[in-house]
Amino acid sequence: MATIKGKLQVEISDDYLEADLFFTPSEHGKSWNINLVKDFIDQGGISYGLDDQAISKAFDEYLSGKTGNSVVIAHGKKPTMPSSSILDTHQNTVPDRIKPAMKKFLATAPPPVIVSKEKIVRKGKFKKEEVFEKSHQVKVDSKVHYQGYFNKNDEVGIIIPPSPGKPGKSVQNHHISQGTPKGDQEFHLGANLYLKNKSHVIAETSGFFRQGNNWAEIIAFNDHILELSLSKDFSNCIMSLKPGMKDLDPPSHQLVFKKADQLGYSKENILSPQNLDKLIKQIIASGKEARISISKAQDGIVEIKTNPNETEAELYLRKGMSKGKKLLLNDISSTLNTCGLKGMDFSELKKEIFRFFHSPENEITIPLCEGKEPQRGNDRTINFNVDFQEDWFLKSLKEHLEEFPQRIGHYRSLKDFSMEQVTSVALVKEGDRIFSLGAVSKGKEGLDVYGKPIPGIKGNDPEIRLFEGLNFQEGLAIASTSGILEIFRDDEENVLYGRIRKHRDAHISVYISENKMKANIGVDLPIGSGLYATEERILDALDEAEVYKGIIKSQIDEAVQKSKDGEVLADFLVAEGKFPADKESDLKLFIDLSHGKNNSAPIKKGEKIGMILNKEKGTNTGYDIYGDKLESTTGKDLEIGNNIENQEQDEKNLLVATASGQLFFDGNSLFIKDTLTIEGDLSSTMGRITFPGHVHINGSVQSQSVIRAGENILVKNVVESALLTAEGYIKIGRGVKGNKKAALMSHKYIQLNYAEETNLMATEDLLVEKALLHCIVK
């Protein structure tokens, strides 16, 4: 067994509650093992609170060479000292408005006077016990440890009774006395405090609280006391205010509103904050307790209300408040007896009125009786008188307008009625009856609360939203212009949208030559959102004209493109027959005018057209544009027509133009058309005219039109805001109304009657018969 050598020593603390072990190592000392150490401690009289674990740990440290520190090897039991009765005080927040007065008041308050009351029981006459109460003043330390504020009936704190204490034990197992209590062990309650349930301290009145070492008291404090209550019919809020010390700030309107809310009374029915504060200050200044209604003045109301159709009736009641007229049962009874309503349940009505009178509600609406609502007839129908196009037509129209949106961009109605909404279209003419509304029908009649019948209601008219091109009067819609009718019907909202836009497809005319060998077309411009000339429409026009043979695909494609580009076509070749090759002479052209491709081209005066060549006779068959077969003949010569001169040069027949214009060749005849004539007016829808010869307009030139002529321009009537350019002269039969947009340019002279707001440019002369007004002349 492990041993240590040295000197052991045990010391006991002065309070006998702790024993320490000391070890001093020495080679000449006694040898100690763990058992000898424990025996040594026992011989030292240490028998209570020994810590075996601490002894073993100390021995292990001595073995390892750690010495010099004492080790606690035993703990005694400390005695519990007796304690006096104390008050465990609740912390209470002092209202801000009281703090100044509290500080001032307590600073000058006298020392506490604590009186103890003792009950004395003694035998009186006839051996009966008599109880007497004897009072005497208790001497206490007047030093204040805590002060605060409590309201009446607040719990101030809890009394903790005195404790006698408990004895202890020394490490030598001796008894240690807890001692005897010193002084007064009781906690004394002073003024305005009482004990409830043996331990709970309650405030008898509101006031300032002071607490010392073994005493506490409340110094009564005269605060403003404000209470609210409701009148018997709950209509009025009554404020009771008992003024306190004048140095105190008055209660605020927030306190009034808080207490009213606790009562379930709406602050909306109470005086304004300004008037409340003013009233409270007046009562406090008077120093007299007051009880007064703080509700707003309001007259009581008895009123019977009906809905617009008088099929429902209800009784509206409002209680009077403050100085307003009171709500009386007699007034309610009189109103109900004279109202003339049918079907009232007076038994239930009486119960509800009495319930209201004894409730905190300020107003109430009570159903009285019900009649029967009239029914509405069937809605008026919309009857269309037009033939709507098939779905493919509408689809192609929308696709066309997606490609050319500018065609309808000027219609303001597109903001409210877009093309995407359009579901039906029809082609109509001015004056057409578009639709009419069906007959009006009435529903079943109803009954009002007075027992009188109510006529049935007419069916609803659909909401009609019509825009451009439609007039609607007395249930009939009439077209005010020709064009395309566009309709959208919103069945859920019962709304109809409609308009008529200008719409005419480009017109295609087919012209057949006298010899049936050529088919030319004329194409004007579409109107509004009308379609341009398409391949399909041109082929349909040729088919209707029975042109089946010699159709030139490239010419049709070019015609379609020119139409899309806004060009008017006149005498445009689209089909050509084939002559038999039996002529004795043939033509060699200097320009691209072979009749298999084109049949015309612009040409200037003096320009060489081609030459005539001699050929051997031959035979062949041909066909005309109707598809009829042509047999060959002999002896036919090439025909040279107007404005072409045959000149012999170096044994060759040279063909020369004698006028500017459009050169035409039909396979047999060659001629120049030097004048383009337009019958009637030229409008912008007809496009731009560009002609190398003369241009004659046997009418007027309307706004936005363009004419470019290689020779002269002749207009019979008026020119509006248009552009006219001529290599020759320009003659206007009447005059020009330019509107600051017209321009006339001539490489010779300009002759006219008058001109207004026009640019005039002439190389030679400007001949004016009457006047020029706001014109620019060069």
Side-chain angles (χ1 to χ4, degrees):
M1 183 178 293
T3 60
I4 56 175
K5 279 188 176 186
K7 181 182 179 181
L8 281 178
Q9 185 180 357
V10 175
E11 290 187 1
I12 299 174
S13 63
D14 294 340
D15 57 5
Y16 302 101
L17 294 175
E18 191 175 280
D20 294 334
L21 180 65
F22 294 87
F23 174 69
T24 305
S26 172
E27 292 182 1
H28 304 291
K30 186 177 178 179
S31 293
W32 303 89
N33 59 30
I34 187 63
N35 292 332
L36 292 174
V37 171
K38 290 182 178 180
D39 290 342
F40 177 78
I41 294 171
D42 184 58
Q43 292 171 5
I46 309 301
S47 59
Y48 182 83
L50 281 172
D51 189 347
D52 289 338
Q53 187 176 358
I55 295 171
S56 297
K57 183 178 180 183
F59 185 79
D60 290 339
E61 289 181 354
Y62 299 155
L63 282 174
S64 64
K66 292 183 179 179
T67 60
N69 293 328
S70 64
V71 177
V72 180
I73 59 172
H75 296 275
K77 182 181 179 183
K78 189 176 182 179
T80 302
M81 302 304 292
S83 63
S84 302
S85 177
I86 62 173
L87 172 63
D88 184 11
T89 308
H90 300 325
Q91 300 296 315
N92 195 22
T93 303
V94 180
D96 290 339
R97 66 186 188 85
I98 294 200
K99 285 180 180 179
M102 175 178 169
K103 183 177 181 181
K104 180 179 179 181
F105 192 86
L106 291 180
T108 59
V113 176
I114 306 300
V115 177
S116 177
K117 296 180 180 180
E118 179 183 0
K119 289 184 179 180
I120 300 175
V121 179
R122 70 181 181 183
K123 291 182 179 180
K125 292 181 179 181
F126 308 107
K127 298 183 180 180
K128 290 184 179 179
E129 290 186 349
E130 295 180 355
V131 180
F132 297 92
E133 190 174 72
K134 184 179 181 181
S135 300
H136 66 275
Q137 184 173 345
V138 179
K139 293 183 179 180
V140 294
D141 183 359
S142 63
K143 185 177 181 181
V144 176
H145 299 302
Y146 173 74
Q147 59 187 24
Y149 178 83
F150 287 96
N151 290 314
K152 182 179 180 180
N153 298 324
D154 282 350
E155 182 177 276
V156 175
I158 297 175
I159 294 290
I160 299 176
S163 172
K166 292 183 180 180
K169 285 274 189 176
S170 72
V171 294
Q172 295 170 316
N173 203 20
H174 296 154
H175 179 83
I176 302 176
S177 174
Q178 74 272 28
T180 57
K182 295 181 179 181
D184 188 359
Q185 300 299 302
E186 184 181 355
F187 191 90
H188 301 281
L189 297 181
N192 300 312
L193 292 173
Y194 70 94
L195 201 60
K196 181 180 180 182
N197 296 332
K198 298 183 179 181
S199 61
H200 298 269
V201 179
I202 308 298
E204 287 184 343
T205 187
S206 299
F208 302 129
F209 174 77
R210 296 195 303 180
Q211 181 178 350
N213 185 42
N214 63 342
W215 62 272
E217 69 174 356
I218 285 182
I219 302 173
F221 173 70
N222 191 14
D223 191 9
H224 306 305
I225 300 175
L226 185 148
E227 298 294 341
L228 296 185
S229 60
L230 299 179
S231 61
K232 290 183 178 180
D233 63 355
F234 298 92
S235 62
N236 282 282
C237 184
I238 310 300
M239 180 179 72
S240 298
L241 178 57
K242 184 178 182 181
M245 295 178 61
K246 293 186 178 181
D247 292 340
L248 280 178
D249 291 338
S252 67
H253 63 270
Q254 287 94 340
L255 177 62
V256 176
F257 288 150
K258 181 179 179 181
K259 288 181 176 291
D261 186 61
Q262 292 171 350
L263 290 174
Y265 195 87
S266 174
K267 69 177 183 180
E268 301 297 328
N269 297 327
I270 296 178
L271 297 174
S272 67
Q274 295 83 358
N275 288 336
L276 273 177
D277 289 339
K278 182 179 179 181
L279 177 61
I280 291 171
K281 288 179 181 179
Q282 289 175 348
I283 295 173
I284 291 175
S286 70
K288 297 179 180 180
E289 183 175 357
R291 177 179 171 84
I292 189 171
S293 171
I294 55 172
S295 297
K296 295 178 181 176
Q298 172 180 280
D299 287 340
I301 293 178
V302 180
E303 184 178 358
I304 291 179
K305 298 180 180 180
T306 61
N307 63 347
N309 288 340
E310 293 188 336
T311 56
E312 294 179 1
E314 54 190 19
L315 175 65
Y316 173 74
L317 302 177
R318 188 179 75 178
K319 296 176 181 177
M321 295 192 303
S322 190
K323 298 179 181 179
K325 180 183 176 182
K326 301 300 180 182
L327 177 65
L328 302 176
L329 287 173
N330 287 341
D331 293 338
I332 300 174
S333 177
S334 175
T335 301
L336 291 175
N337 290 332
T338 59
C339 65
L341 296 175
K342 305 295 183 182
M344 289 187 292
D345 187 344
F346 283 97
S347 176
E348 290 298 322
L349 185 57
K350 184 177 180 181
K351 291 180 183 178
E352 186 64 13
I353 292 172
F354 273 95
R355 186 202 64 78
F356 168 66
F357 259 82
H358 296 87
S359 75
E361 298 173 37
N362 181 56
E363 58 182 353
I364 190 174
T365 299
I366 306 173
L368 292 176
C369 58
E370 291 186 3
K372 183 180 179 182
E373 290 283 353
Q375 296 183 8
R376 184 177 296 277
N378 296 326
D379 294 344
R380 297 182 72 182
T381 58
I382 299 176
N383 304 315
F384 282 96
N385 305 314
V386 297
D387 294 326
F388 287 105
Q389 296 289 327
E390 296 182 8
D391 291 343
W392 67 264
F393 182 89
L394 175 59
K395 182 179 179 182
S396 63
L397 175 64
K398 289 185 176 182
E399 291 174 351
H400 172 69
L401 293 178
E402 286 180 3
E403 184 179 359
F404 302 99
Q406 68 277 10
R407 304 290 301 281
I408 58 171
H410 61 284
Y411 283 92
R412 295 182 178 179
S413 62
L414 290 172
K415 294 180 180 179
D416 302 310
F417 179 24
S418 66
M419 281 302 302
E420 288 77 8
Q421 293 176 278
V422 176
T423 54
S424 305
V425 293
L427 297 175
V428 298
K429 295 181 180 179
E430 183 178 355
D432 282 355
R433 297 163 66 93
I434 305 302
F435 66 81
S436 59
L437 295 182
V440 178
S441 68
K442 282 187 177 182
K444 294 181 179 179
E445 69 178 19
L447 193 69
D448 67 17
V449 291
Y450 302 102
K452 298 178 181 177
I454 304 175
I457 304 173
K458 294 180 180 179
N460 288 320
D461 285 352
E463 184 178 352
I464 307 294
R465 298 183 184 179
L466 302 183
F467 300 95
E468 299 89 349
L470 286 167
N471 291 327
F472 183 74
Q473 287 184 341
E474 298 180 356
L476 178 64
I478 298 178
S480 60
T481 185
S482 298
I484 188 166
L485 170 70
E486 294 174 339
I487 293 295
F488 168 61
R489 180 74 179 269
D490 187 343
D491 292 326
E492 290 186 4
E493 300 294 334
N494 200 17
V495 180
L496 176 74
Y497 294 79
R499 66 167 161 255
I500 297 177
R501 293 187 295 97
K502 291 185 178 180
H503 179 95
R504 182 180 69 79
D505 295 341
H507 182 68
I508 302 173
S509 302
V510 180
Y511 305 104
I512 309 299
S513 62
E514 293 183 2
N515 60 4
K516 304 177 184 179
M517 295 300 292
K518 293 183 180 181
N520 294 348
I521 59 172
V523 181
D524 61 8
L525 291 182
I527 296 175
S529 60
L531 301 178
Y532 295 103
T534 63
E535 179 181 0
E536 182 180 5
R537 295 185 62 234
I538 292 175
L539 291 176
D540 287 345
L542 292 176
D543 185 67
E544 188 176 347
E546 299 182 349
V547 176
Y548 308 120
K549 191 74 171 176
I551 296 174
I552 306 170
K553 175 69 166 56
S554 61
Q555 286 292 96
I556 292 178
D557 291 343
E558 184 176 352
V560 170
Q561 188 59 48
K562 287 180 178 292
S563 179
K564 285 186 177 181
D565 292 340
E567 185 174 339
V568 176
L569 303 181
D571 295 332
F572 191 85
L573 178 69
V574 291
E576 187 172 26
K578 179 182 178 184
F579 287 97
D582 60 354
K583 301 187 288 273
E584 294 180 351
S585 61
D586 204 353
L587 175 64
K588 179 181 180 180
L589 296 173
F590 298 152
I591 59 177
D592 185 13
L593 196 62
S594 60
H595 59 271
K597 296 180 180 178
N598 302 302
N599 76 321
S600 68
I603 195 166
K604 291 288 187 179
K605 181 178 179 181
E607 188 175 352
K608 295 178 181 180
I609 299 171
M611 63 176 59
I612 299 175
L613 303 176
N614 293 323
K615 289 185 64 179
E616 297 293 331
K617 290 184 179 181
T619 59
N620 198 358
T621 58
Y623 53 83
D624 62 19
I625 58 174
Y626 295 124
D628 296 331
K629 187 176 180 180
L630 300 179
E631 298 293 340
S632 61
T633 58
T634 58
K636 284 189 177 180
D637 293 329
L638 178 69
E639 296 182 5
I640 305 300
N642 296 335
N643 302 314
I644 300 176
E645 183 180 22
N646 189 350
Q647 300 178 358
E648 293 186 4
Q649 295 182 5
D650 299 329
E651 298 181 357
K652 296 179 181 180
N653 294 322
L654 187 66
L655 301 178
V656 180
T658 60
S660 297
Q662 194 77 7
L663 175 66
F664 290 90
F665 180 55
D666 62 5
N668 185 51
S669 300
L670 188 68
F671 64 95
I672 294 175
K673 183 178 181 180
D674 64 345
T675 302
L676 175 62
T677 302
I678 302 296
E679 298 296 339
D681 296 339
L682 175 65
S683 66
S684 60
T685 59
M686 300 175 67
R688 305 182 176 199
I689 294 180
T690 300
F691 190 74
H694 306 287
V695 177
H696 291 175
I697 308 298
N698 290 331
S700 297
V701 179
Q702 297 180 3
S703 297
Q704 301 181 5
S705 300
V706 177
I707 302 175
R708 291 186 173 90
E711 293 294 339
N712 306 321
I713 296 177
L714 178 63
V715 179
K716 185 175 181 181
N717 293 327
V718 176
V719 174
E720 296 178 358
S721 53
L723 173 64
L724 278 63
T725 302
E727 295 296 324
Y729 62 75
I730 298 177
K731 289 185 178 181
I732 311 300
R734 293 175 62 184
V736 183
K737 297 180 179 180
N739 195 26
K740 298 183 181 179
K741 295 180 181 179
L744 276 60
M745 295 174 283
S746 170
H747 286 267
K748 289 188 178 180
Y749 65 86
I750 298 175
Q751 181 178 340
L752 42 74
N753 196 322
Y754 66 88
E756 300 174 358
E757 298 181 323
T758 305
N759 287 334
L760 301 170
M761 290 164 277
T763 304
E764 297 178 1
D765 299 327
L766 176 61
L767 306 176
V768 182
E769 292 187 15
K770 290 187 177 179
L772 298 179
L773 180 64
H774 300 300
C775 294
I776 298 175
V777 179
K778 294 183 181 179

